[in-house]
């Protein structure tokens, strides 16, 4: 009896365990009874026929499937190795249960073949630089069959595309050569720019120097011109007076001489007249009419010292009187 009770208790526990199905909040389960599909079990507790029922679990969350590394030949016959990641979500558990044997393995294998096909239709440079194109094309290729299985591929990401070692070495040499070429171009452009800047600076310096020399020559020429004009005016105004002064000095020396005989200059009267003309700026015509005195410009007047004309006339009168007195004293001796 004890053994029979234990057996009955064990059988009851097994029956309860087989008849009760607990479904998690993120999953659904397909129920089959005697191998026949009945329904989907939503999250919660469900009672099913014991011993003749079976359930198949489907995780409704987004799952990540790794696509193993695949070797492919690009359109330009370059071998590359690439791998990817698929983000997959079950949208219809019934179709995923009835439409494909193992949807996880099916999606992974489909991702591998599609990745090889997409890489084979692209050139090497495109496979290395256009990851977004590869992702889009893989997703477009996978979507139609997975939709029939009730599976949605939410995203495809290619993680790595690696060319073969020989191709990598050639690419490194090409990159190095391109960098050297760009460096040489930049260096040449810098030297050209430097030469242009130096030439422009030298040109500007020469222009400024030439302008300075020109201005200096102009100022020097103007100074020479002013000096020549002043010397000419001075010579014009003082030349006649110098001759007259020398004549008057001669008359004075004659008067001081102890000789009994005096030889007077023939042009004494003319000399005195010219002296007066120089001082007064006027002249007498042959008929005795007086001419109007000439006007000097202020600069010449200041140079000649015409402001002291009265003083000069007084000195001239004294010198003339002295010369006349000397002539009278020496006249009897001469006779």
């Amino acid at each position: 009896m004890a053994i029979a009770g234990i057996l009955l208790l064990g059988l009851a526990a097994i029956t309860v365990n087989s008849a009760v199905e607990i479904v998690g909040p993120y999953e659904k389960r397909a129920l089959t009874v005697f191998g026949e599909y009945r329904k989907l079990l939503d999250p919660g507790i469900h009672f099913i026929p014991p011993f003749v029922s079976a359930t198949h679990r489907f995780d409704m969350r987004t799952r990540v499937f790794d696509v193993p590394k695949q070797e492919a030949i690009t359109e330009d016959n370059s071998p590359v190795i690439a791998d990817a990641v698929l983000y997959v979500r079950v949208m219809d558990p019934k179709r995923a249960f009835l439409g494909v044997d193992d949807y996880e393995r099916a999606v992974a294998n489909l991702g591998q073949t599609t990745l090889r096909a997409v890489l084979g239709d692209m050139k090497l440079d495109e496979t290395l630089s256009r990851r977004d194109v590869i992702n889009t094309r893989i997703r477009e290729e996978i979507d139609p069959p997975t939709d029939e299985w009730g599976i949605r591929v939410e995203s495809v990401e290619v993680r790595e595309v690696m060319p073969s070692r020989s191709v990598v070495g050639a690419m490194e040499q090409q990159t190095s050569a391109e960098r050297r070429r760009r460096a040489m171009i930049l260096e040449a452009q810098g030297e050209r720019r430097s030469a242009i800047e130096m030439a422009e600076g030298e040109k500007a310096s020469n222009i400024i120097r030439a302008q300075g020399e020109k201005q200096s020559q102009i100022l020097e020429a103007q100074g020479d011109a002013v000096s020549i004009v002043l010397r000419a005016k001075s010579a014009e105004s003082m030349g006649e007076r110098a001759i007259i002064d020398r004549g008057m000095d001669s008359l004075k020396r004659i008067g001081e001489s102890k000789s009994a005989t005096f030889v007077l200059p023939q042009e004494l009267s003319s000399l005195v007249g010219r002296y007066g003309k120089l001082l007064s700026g006027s002249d007498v015509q042959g008929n005795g009419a007086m001419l109007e005195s000439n006007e000097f410009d202020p600069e010449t007047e200041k140079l000649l010292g015409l402001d002291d004309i009265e003083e000069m006339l007084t000195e001239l009168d004294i010198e003339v009187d002295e010369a006349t007195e000397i002539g009278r004293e020496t006249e009897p001796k001469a006779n």
Side-chain angles (χ1 to χ4, degrees):
M1 291 295 292
I3 295 174
I6 293 172
L7 291 176
L8 290 174
L9 183 60
L11 180 61
I14 295 173
T15 303
V16 171
N17 183 57
S18 177
V20 176
E21 190 74 18
I22 301 175
V23 181
Y26 49 83
E27 64 183 7
K28 288 186 177 182
R29 296 185 183 185
L31 174 63
T32 59
V33 179
F34 294 106
E36 180 183 2
Y37 174 79
R38 293 292 179 90
K39 64 179 180 177
L40 291 175
L41 300 179
D42 294 326
I45 298 177
H46 299 273
F47 295 96
I48 59 176
F51 306 114
V52 295
S53 300
T55 58
H56 301 274
R57 179 177 176 271
F58 291 92
D59 195 330
M60 304 301 294
R61 295 174 295 182
T62 299
R63 301 183 65 187
V64 181
F65 293 161
D66 288 331
V67 178
K69 290 184 178 181
Q70 302 296 312
E71 184 175 358
I73 303 298
T74 61
E75 186 179 4
D76 50 358
N77 297 323
S78 296
V80 294
I81 299 175
D83 61 346
V85 177
L86 303 179
Y87 295 88
V88 180
R89 186 173 184 179
V90 177
M91 303 302 296
D92 189 349
K94 180 179 179 180
R95 294 170 62 183
F97 176 67
L98 299 177
V100 63
D101 180 23
D102 185 350
Y103 79 92
E104 295 181 357
R105 186 164 57 88
V107 171
N109 291 334
L110 182 61
Q112 294 177 16
T113 57
T114 305
L115 177 60
R116 288 197 298 267
V118 171
L119 292 177
D121 292 339
M122 300 177 68
K123 294 183 179 180
L124 178 62
D125 293 338
E126 295 177 345
T127 60
L128 298 177
S129 60
R130 305 188 64 181
R131 299 286 183 89
D132 55 341
V133 176
I134 298 176
N135 297 336
T136 302
R137 289 191 57 183
I138 292 176
R139 183 174 178 181
E140 291 175 352
E141 295 290 337
I142 290 178
D143 276 343
T146 55
D147 286 343
E148 294 180 0
W149 301 336
I151 307 296
R152 185 177 68 183
V153 179
E154 295 183 341
S155 179
V156 178
E157 296 293 337
V158 176
R159 290 189 297 189
E160 184 180 11
V161 178
M162 180 63 66
S164 63
R165 293 183 178 180
S166 60
V167 175
V168 171
M171 292 176 63
E172 290 178 352
Q173 295 178 359
Q174 180 182 2
T175 303
S176 178
E178 180 67 19
R179 290 177 178 175
R180 288 196 300 269
R181 183 183 70 86
R182 292 181 180 179
M184 293 175 63
I185 292 175
L186 293 176
E187 184 177 1
Q189 290 178 349
E191 293 178 354
R192 176 175 175 272
R193 185 62 182 174
S194 177
I196 293 174
E197 293 291 341
M198 292 178 62
E200 290 179 352
E202 184 176 357
K203 177 182 177 182
S205 177
N206 292 335
I207 291 174
I208 294 174
R209 189 182 300 111
Q211 290 177 348
E213 293 177 356
K214 178 181 177 182
Q215 187 68 20
S216 177
Q217 292 175 1
I218 291 174
L219 294 176
E220 184 177 357
Q222 290 177 349
D224 292 342
V226 172
S227 178
I228 292 172
V229 171
L230 293 178
R231 287 198 299 269
K233 289 185 178 182
S234 176
E236 181 182 0
S237 60
M238 298 300 293
E240 186 70 16
R241 181 175 178 178
I243 295 173
I244 296 171
D245 288 344
R246 292 174 66 89
M248 297 304 295
D249 290 340
S250 299
L251 288 177
K252 186 176 181 181
R253 286 196 300 272
I254 291 173
E256 294 176 354
S257 175
K258 297 180 180 182
S259 174
T261 304
F262 298 95
V263 179
L264 298 177
Q266 187 177 5
E267 297 297 331
L268 179 60
S269 61
S270 176
L271 183 63
V272 175
R274 289 163 63 188
Y275 196 9
K277 176 185 177 182
L278 178 62
L279 296 177
S280 63
S282 62
D283 198 0
V284 180
Q285 294 183 351
N287 56 3
M290 294 297 293
L291 297 177
E292 295 181 357
S293 61
N294 297 326
E295 297 292 336
F296 292 96
D297 58 276
E299 184 180 355
T300 305
E301 289 181 357
K302 183 178 181 180
L303 185 65
L304 295 177
L306 296 182
D307 294 337
D308 302 329
I309 190 63
E310 296 294 337
E311 198 174 317
M312 295 173 62
L313 290 176
T314 302
E315 294 177 357
L316 178 61
D317 291 339
I318 295 173
E319 291 177 357
V320 173
D321 291 342
E322 291 177 355
T324 305
E325 185 67 20
I326 293 172
R328 290 177 180 177
E329 292 177 356
T330 56
E331 184 176 357
K333 296 180 181 180
N335 291 333

